[in-house]
Amino acid sequence: MADNALTDLTIAEARERLDRGEVSARELAEAHIAAIEGARALNAFVTETPERAIADAEASDARRRRGESGALEGIPLGIKDLFCTEGVMSTAASGILDGFVPTYESTVSANLFAAGAVMLGKLNLDEFAMGSSNETSHFGPVENPWRRQGDNRALVPGGSSGGSGAAVAGRLCLGATGTDTGGSIRQPAAFCGVVGAKPTYGRCSRWGIVAFASSLDQAGPMARSVRDTALMLGAMAGFDPKDSTSVDIDVPDFEATLEDGVAGLKVGIPAEYSLDETPDDIRALWDEGIAWLRDAGAEPVEVSLPHTAFALPAYHLIAPAEASSNLARYDGVRYGQRVEGEDLIDTYARTRGAGFGAEVRRRILIGTYALSAGYYDAYYLKAQKVRTLVARDFERAFESCDFLLTPTCPSDAFAIGEKSDDPIAMYLNDVLTVPASLAGLPAMSVPAGLSGGGLPLGLQIVARAFDEETMFRAARAIEKAAAFDARPEPRG
Amino acid sequence: MSLIEGRSGAWETVIGLEVHAQVVSESKLFSGASTAFGGEANAQVSLVDAAMPGMLPVVNEYCVEQAVRTGLGLGAEINPVSVFDRKNYFYPDLPQGYQISQYSQPIVGRGAVEIALEDGTQRTVRILRLHLEQDAGKSLHDRDPRRTWVDLNRAGVALMEIVTEPDMRSPDEAAAFMAKLRTILRYLGTCDGNMQEGSLRADVNVSVRRPGGALGTRCEIKNLNSIRFIRQAAAYEAGRQVEIIEGGGSIEQETRLFDTDRGVTRPMRTKEEEHDYRYFPDPDLLPLELTRDYVDRIAADLPELPDAKKARFVRELGLSDEDAEVLVADRDNAEYFEAVAEGRDAKAAANWVIHDLFGALNRSGLAIGEAPVGAAHLGGLIDLIAAGTISGRIAKDVFQAMFETGRDARSIVEERGLEQVSDTGEIEAVVDGILAEREDMVAEYRSGKTKLLGFFVGQAMKATGGKANPKTVNEILRAKLDS
Amino acid sequence: MAVDTDTVRRIAMLARLNVPEDELDGLAGELNKILDWMDLLNGADTDGVAPMTAVKPMPLRQRADAVTEGGIAEDLVANAPEAAGAFFAVPKVIE
Ligand SMILES: [Mg+2]
Ligand SMILES: [Zn+2]
């Protein structure tokens, strides 16, 4: 079918075809709208916006005819439903925001649309981005398009950007936005066999993105090639005076240096990322990755990140503490759902008790407890100090190397329902992604091979703050060497 | 110090204040919405103020500067690093579910304010800290029988919370402190001091103890928006506490409201649940760092403050302590006075401003800014007296006319022919007439009752319609009577 | 540090979160498990370590004092569960 050819393109390929006039933005949009309709079983979208997509595409085609093409002119994207989009319901996959239609557009999505992107709809996620499996969504779990060999159980796509991962892997969009607080771009990218990049904290504006943990949240791209994520990030990133934590430095042309290779660079291999529980296939892939980089001219060096073991518990104090405060605004007064009670306090408690799902309630309680009188020093403050130590570890490591290579996750995708009873087992999914989040460093996952069960596995690149260029170069080197071309069976 | 005489002996009142002063600025502390008073419901509210999902605060540089200016005006330390924290609690007029405030690291540290009491004694009230924070919105409870309405126009307006040590020892001292603080804020231009509109309000912490003894348990009376209410509420509350303790009870620490109609305090009806504000640094903001240079530049620009101005009026202009105190109590008054006194007799200027101008303004209910007699006009009047063109007595009438018409002194004097008569011949004729008419009193005078001179002067002035130069009248009378 | 059902009830109240009585016990157990896990942090020596404030040390950016927003009352109440004209409306509060 001709449409398949269109949905299989990378963004860079689609851009060339559009530039040459071989395809129109409208045709691209239509092919994806059809693919989305055919893959509703994945539950990747909370809201589909086909009419908006067609209108965007027609406007894009008109701009192209006038010679006014942006960097993503005519490229159909999915937007994680954590981004507020003007006139389109934005829910954070929470019942408490069901029906909320913002009158404003997030800076990052506005940047993408200003670059010519076409919006296909809003992608499912873990409620308020709290989760690693997309099972906490008010709108139900997302299915990973992949299946384990010889096992027909539906698998999780990872989380929280699970809808984004599934939609990109399932050829429902050419690229998608994600957000990453402790691994929410990288882990679903790894589980779904796509590329996902989290830039340095401060690189992308947080304005208009529903906040989970303010000191950690960063937007980033998910797509099917390193090049695609580089060019998407170029459009998403930039200084925003409306975000006090946005950093006012130039956004380099990430695509321009993409093919510069890794010859002469030192790749750090952190000893502490080798966990007892790490399965053999992941260990083997990591070794292979090191070999690929050596072959490409990089020099592997052992580095130590001694506070790695403290990163995950520190993260699980800081993130819920900030979330407990960030989510206080969902009180049923100005927007969202309200459950009327006997009085105001009761109305608040009922609204929030009913509007938030179990995982969000659990994290609000943990965070509230961690900040409450008598515990602040022992928990929150302690965790923020540990965070300083984790960041120092990286600084020291980067004295002897230019980037780090690690596995993205300690496992491949698991079945829906398999880990939902044990919060800590679920939290361990992020053990390899959280440290870079705490340090605010740029990090990305590249699909590099298949697990013993035939599921995609990712390798993680971590770079110095604001050195996304090296991150993309290293990721591109892995991508070339891995030549990962496996893809999920079409479903739906 | 004024003590309360209880049945069991004397009690001392101990008062500390937490003052909320709205910062004078165009826009809010963390958003670009207007701070103007009295707009349509929710018209001065940005997406940030309404805490819409994904909204972020960006601090207003002018509000920071105003806080620093105020700190300097209170003689306080300016902290080179301060931190914005979140104070978490739920209330419908607090849209974020937290107030952005400053907790462990405020922008301004310790300072002091001197207050002068009625009896002339001075006291120092120590300032513990000043921090920046967001104001809340307004809940309207009386518009609908079953609903509270919420207007967020005020939500996010910058406040300075100024906290004192418990250094005040009577309701009068608390009132004097508040008046003095308001004066300083107005001099600095950092808060308009308008208590009716809520720009300046105080929580008053009151406790009682045996004079000089250990501090008692305090109660906090919330949100008093006039100096009179501060005095009344503190007095009532101290009396209430003495009564309880002398009745064998004990004071429970609580938050109370002042019923302005009945003049009593009562506990807040909302159940005071356990306060646990879960303060933590706002992760949407970074620490606020101020350089020495920045602080110095603001310090260099500070206006002369009331204490310094008063000292100068006494030292350089020779005013009495009391007159100087009255004049500096309000920046506009002081500036008016200085304009009048410029190049003139300062004492005469002070007399005219304090007694005549303030009296007339009071009677007509006008503020100094609305005075029909400008400083230049009043100065012109004083000049006419000094030049001997009119008498002091006539000057009072001229002033009255000036106040009524807004015209200058000279034109009124000329139009009404009020110039002083100094022509000796003219005055001599009048004096002769009076002495001839009252020969009896002339005899009395000559027999030693020289006090009658005043009577003759009065008669002469009356006969000339007040226009005769009193000095000339005196001279002529003396010459004739004593000869 | 053991969290009991009373503590869960108290923090749920602080967080304005309705938690059914029959869930308190289970939640207390879960929170204890998570908090026990957090005790791992005590193994990190943080003496003299400052809490992290920014990835890239930078001054707090400040904006000019200008009125640039407002006049969107209709937009603001558009999503409100209950409004009275341009006001938000909530169950009556007694002070
Ligand atoms: Mg108070
Ligand atoms: Zn306050």
Side-chain angles (χ1 to χ4, degrees):
Chain A
M1 209 163 52
D3 278 354
N4 270 355
L6 293 183
T7 54
D8 269 347
L9 299 173
T10 63
I11 293 173
E13 288 162 354
R15 188 177 53 179
E16 278 173 39
R17 305 266 297 262
L18 284 161
D19 283 348
R20 290 201 298 264
E22 292 168 11
V23 69
S24 68
R26 188 180 166 120
E27 288 169 305
L28 267 179
E30 283 170 344
H32 283 93
I33 290 165
I36 292 167
E37 282 171 4
R40 290 207 174 116
L42 295 181
N43 198 28
F45 282 81
V46 171
T47 305
E48 298 171 13
T49 57
E51 282 141 32
R52 160 79 183 267
I54 296 296
D56 281 0
E58 284 179 345
S60 171
D61 285 330
R63 282 194 299 272
R64 191 177 287 278
R65 281 194 295 273
R66 293 197 301 270
E68 299 168 3
S69 295
L72 292 169
E73 198 57 64
I75 302 299
L77 301 178
I79 303 294
K80 187 179 184 180
D81 208 18
L82 202 61
F83 293 78
C84 290
T85 43
E86 186 176 353
V88 176
M89 185 170 81
S90 303
T91 66
S94 180
I96 210 160
L97 272 177
D98 200 354
F100 172 64
V101 179
T103 56
Y104 51 93
E105 184 76 37
S106 84
T107 298
V108 163
S109 53
N111 288 347
L112 287 170
F113 300 137
V118 169
M119 181 162 85
L120 292 167
K122 302 297 290 291
L123 293 163
N124 206 341
L125 65 147
D126 278 302
E127 184 180 2
F128 281 105
M130 295 181 193
S132 306
S133 65
N134 217 312
E135 292 168 289
T136 70
S137 169
H138 171 69
F139 301 99
V142 172
E143 265 188 33
N144 193 324
W146 293 80
R147 290 285 154 102
R148 190 177 294 278
Q149 270 165 16
D151 184 344
N152 211 30
R153 282 183 301 168
L155 304 177
V156 303
S160 65
S161 309
S164 303
V168 172
R171 273 60 181 172
L172 310 185
C173 54
L174 294 186
T177 63
T179 63
D180 191 312
T181 303
S184 282
I185 287 174
R186 292 160 283 163
Q187 186 252 15
F191 277 19
C192 294
V194 303
V195 183
K198 176 196 99 71
T200 314
Y201 183 84
R203 183 66 98 176
C204 283
S205 169
R206 294 184 296 114
W207 194 89
I209 302 173
V210 172
F212 163 18
S214 310
S215 72
L216 295 157
D217 297 344
Q218 262 299 292
M222 297 171 78
R224 290 193 295 269
S225 77
V226 174
R227 179 176 301 274
D228 287 2
T229 54
L231 69 96
M232 268 185 80
L233 182 62
M236 294 163 76
F239 172 63
D240 182 2
K242 290 185 289 192
D243 174 359
S244 299
T245 62
S246 168
V247 178
D248 189 3
I249 59 171
D250 288 341
V251 180
D253 182 350
F254 302 121
E255 214 186 340
T257 50
L258 195 61
E259 302 288 353
D260 285 2
V262 292
L265 296 185
K266 287 183 177 159
V267 49
I269 311 300
E272 292 81 3
Y273 279 52
S274 179
L275 311 171
D276 293 342
E277 318 73 277
T278 308
D280 289 343
D281 48 4
I282 291 177
R283 205 175 282 277
L285 182 69
W286 191 10
D287 289 339
E288 214 177 349
I290 297 168
W292 291 332
L293 291 172
R294 189 189 287 115
D295 292 347
E299 180 196 339
V301 293
E302 269 234 7
V303 295
S304 174
L305 301 168
H307 295 92
T308 300
F310 304 117
L312 200 58
Y315 170 84
H316 277 285
L317 278 172
I318 294 166
E322 292 182 7
S324 71
S325 176
N326 282 334
L327 270 54
R329 66 186 56 199
Y330 305 101
D331 58 7
V333 174
R334 295 165 317 287
Y335 43 78
Q337 298 299 308
R338 178 193 290 181
V339 181
E340 194 82 18
E342 286 164 25
D343 56 21
L344 182 69
I345 292 181
D346 189 39
T347 299
Y348 282 150
R350 285 185 198 221
T351 295
R352 293 164 57 78
F356 294 133
E359 179 62 20
V360 172
R361 289 201 303 268
R362 178 157 49 219
R363 297 209 198 185
I364 289 175
L365 291 176
I366 290 273
T368 303
Y369 184 75
L371 290 174
S372 67
Y375 299 109
Y376 175 80
D377 286 0
Y379 287 129
Y380 186 76
L381 192 64
K382 176 82 181 179
Q384 285 288 27
K385 289 176 176 175
V386 165
R387 194 174 174 184
T388 301
L389 295 176
V390 169
R392 275 189 205 160
D393 282 357
F394 280 106
E395 271 170 43
R396 209 156 293 149
F398 283 127
E399 287 168 10
S400 58
C401 68
D402 299 295
F403 65 92
L404 305 176
L405 182 75
T406 80
T408 308
C409 303
S411 77
D412 57 6
F414 46 88
I416 291 175
E418 194 178 329
K419 294 193 183 178
S420 35
D421 292 340
D422 184 353
I424 294 178
M426 187 66 88
Y427 296 166
L428 284 170
N429 266 292
D430 297 328
V431 67
L432 303 176
T433 48
V434 150
S437 297
L438 289 180
L441 301 175
M444 70 188 288
S445 179
V446 193
L450 293 176
S451 67
L455 293 175
L457 295 174
L459 286 176
Q460 177 178 232
I461 314 287
V462 182
R464 295 187 181 96
F466 297 100
D467 189 13
E468 285 87 354
E469 286 167 289
T470 299
M471 173 183 80
F472 281 124
R473 279 167 63 190
R476 175 67 187 129
I478 294 281
E479 183 182 49
K480 272 204 286 202
F484 181 84
D485 60 0
R487 53 179 297 174
E489 290 294 312
R491 320 188 50 79
Chain B
M1 182 185 311
S2 61
L3 298 177
I4 299 173
E5 280 312 318
R7 277 171 283 137
S8 62
W11 296 88
E12 182 180 49
T13 309
V14 175
I15 302 173
L17 260 53
E18 288 165 34
V19 178
H20 283 99
Q22 209 172 82
V23 174
V24 170
S25 66
E26 294 295 321
S27 62
K28 296 181 179 180
L29 182 54
F30 294 109
S31 85
S34 168
T35 59
F37 180 78
E40 297 280 303
N42 287 318
Q44 292 160 198
V45 179
S46 76
L47 297 168
V48 175
D49 306 320
M52 300 306 277
M55 292 301 102
L56 300 171
V58 182
V59 78
N60 180 336
E61 62 181 5
Y62 187 64
C63 295
V64 171
E65 191 182 316
Q66 291 284 59
V68 170
R69 187 172 288 122
T70 306
L72 292 169
L74 298 175
E77 305 154 20
I78 307 302
N79 291 324
V81 180
S82 63
V83 172
F84 287 106
D85 294 293
R86 292 186 183 177
K87 178 181 183 179
N88 294 284
Y89 65 97
F90 288 85
Y91 204 76
D93 59 20
L94 185 73
Q96 296 162 138
Y98 54 84
Q99 177 195 37
I100 306 180
S101 179
Q102 297 187 300
Y103 184 54
S104 55
Q105 290 177 265
I107 185 166
V108 175
R110 293 185 165 279
V113 170
E114 300 293 326
I115 56 172
L117 304 178
E118 293 274 293
D119 64 7
T121 56
Q122 292 273 129
R123 275 192 82 90
T124 302
V125 175
R126 289 168 300 161
I127 303 293
L128 186 61
R129 60 184 281 158
L130 174 156
H131 67 252
L132 275 170
E133 63 183 24
Q134 299 175 295
D135 204 348
K138 227 183 174 92
S139 293
L140 307 163
H141 305 300
D142 51 5
R143 300 286 188 91
D144 183 316
R146 38 179 287 283
R147 288 334 223 185
T148 287
W149 292 8
V150 181
D151 173 18
L152 300 177
N153 279 348
R154 221 175 51 187
V157 170
L159 296 178
M160 297 178 284
E161 180 171 331
I162 302 165
V163 184
T164 76
E165 295 280 9
D167 282 350
M168 288 150 279
R169 293 290 172 270
S170 69
D172 283 344
E173 288 185 20
F177 170 80
M178 198 60 188
K180 182 61 175 286
L181 179 65
R182 186 173 58 178
T183 299
I184 294 171
L185 294 171
R186 284 179 167 165
Y187 266 69
L188 293 166
T190 56
C191 170
D192 67 20
N194 192 329
M195 297 188 78
Q196 281 101 356
E197 289 179 3
S199 307
L200 186 64
R201 46 196 199 264
D203 300 340
V204 180
N205 287 291
V206 179
S207 63
V208 296
R209 65 176 179 185
R210 291 300 184 189
L215 285 175
T217 303
R218 68 194 160 94
C219 290
E220 178 178 10
I221 312 157
K222 281 289 208 199
N223 250 332
L224 297 169
N225 67 346
S226 91
I227 291 177
R228 188 164 56 96
F229 293 157
I230 289 173
R231 189 187 278 114
Q232 285 177 358
Y236 175 86
E237 180 59 20
R240 185 188 73 90
Q241 292 182 13
V242 166
E243 210 163 290
I244 289 173
I245 298 169
E246 293 197 327
S250 62
I251 306 303
E252 217 181 304
Q253 182 161 350
E254 62 183 359
T255 307
R256 300 176 68 85
L257 292 175
F258 183 59
D259 181 332
T260 53
D261 294 330
R262 296 168 49 223
V264 303
T265 66
R266 60 162 173 87
M268 281 185 82
R269 247 184 290 172
T270 32
K271 200 174 71 211
E272 269 297 294
E273 50 159 331
E274 170 191 18
H275 282 293
D276 190 341
Y277 292 124
R278 291 157 286 137
Y279 284 99
F280 75 109
D282 191 329
D284 288 330
L285 297 162
L286 296 161
L288 176 65
E289 294 177 32
L290 306 175
T291 63
R292 188 72 250 167
D293 216 50
Y294 168 87
V295 176
D296 287 348
R297 259 181 288 136
I298 296 173
D301 251 16
L302 234 48
E304 183 182 38
L305 292 173
D307 289 348
K309 204 181 269 295
K310 180 184 167 188
R312 181 167 59 81
F313 284 0
V314 172
R315 190 179 65 239
E316 290 177 16
L317 304 182
L319 300 194
S320 69
D321 248 35
E322 296 73 46
D323 282 358
E325 182 74 34
V326 169
L327 287 170
V328 303
D330 180 285
R331 184 176 177 171
D332 291 340
N333 289 350
E335 279 172 0
Y336 184 101
F337 161 73
E338 290 202 76
V340 175
E342 177 75 46
R344 301 190 176 92
D345 175 4
K347 282 187 185 166
N351 272 326
W352 276 99
V353 170
I354 294 171
H355 300 114
D356 301 280
L357 179 75
F358 289 177
L361 289 175
N362 251 334
R363 283 189 295 278
S364 53
L366 295 175
I368 186 110
E370 309 161 314
V373 181
H377 281 188
L378 182 54
L381 178 66
I382 295 170
D383 289 343
L384 292 182
I385 304 165
T389 312
I390 55 171
S391 67
R393 163 67 197 77
I394 288 288
K396 304 281 179 192
D397 297 340
V398 175
F399 177 80
Q400 189 57 40
M402 289 167 75
F403 200 88
E404 281 160 12
T405 65
R407 291 169 57 196
D408 74 303
R410 182 167 295 278
S411 71
I412 291 170
V413 167
E414 277 170 6
E415 182 186 287
R416 303 189 185 178
L418 299 174
E419 291 91 342
Q420 191 160 247
V421 178
S422 298
D423 176 345
T424 35
E426 206 175 311
I427 294 174
E428 233 183 297
V430 172
V431 167
D432 285 343
I434 290 166
L435 296 182
E437 232 168 79
R438 306 305 300 260
E439 274 175 9
D440 49 339
M441 294 183 82
V442 171
E444 271 185 62
Y445 178 91
R446 290 198 170 125
S447 68
K449 269 190 107 177
T450 53
K451 273 189 185 150
L452 283 171
L453 179 69
F455 167 78
F456 290 118
V457 170
Q459 290 296 306
M461 294 305 291
K462 201 171 161 191
T464 58
K467 291 191 290 178
N469 182 332
K471 206 174 146 222
T472 316
V473 171
N474 250 292
E475 281 164 12
I476 293 172
L477 269 168
R478 275 184 196 284
K480 294 197 183 272
L481 288 167
D482 296 347
S483 63
Chain C
M1 218 162 313
V3 174
D4 54 17
T5 52
D6 275 350
T7 310
V8 177
R9 203 180 287 116
R10 183 179 66 83
I11 56 177
M13 178 63 190
L14 264 180
R16 295 288 185 272
L17 211 50
N18 218 9
V19 176
E21 278 293 313
D22 60 354
E23 286 178 25
L24 289 174
D25 225 29
L27 265 170
E30 272 179 29
L31 296 195
N32 274 321
K33 242 166 84 182
I34 295 170
L35 291 166
D36 281 349
W37 178 58
M38 305 288 180
D39 285 341
L40 261 179
L41 286 180
N42 294 328
D45 180 4
T46 52
D47 283 356
V49 176
M52 185 157 163
T53 50
V55 180
K56 185 185 164 73
M58 58 179 191
L60 175 61
R61 197 169 43 255
Q62 304 184 29
R63 49 166 246 282
D65 179 29
V67 176
T68 56
E69 297 169 286
I72 52 163
E74 257 174 63
D75 280 1
L76 295 176
V77 296
N79 276 292
E82 190 182 350
F87 292 93
F88 299 103
V90 297
K92 192 140 191 118
V93 179
I94 299 161
E95 278 186 324

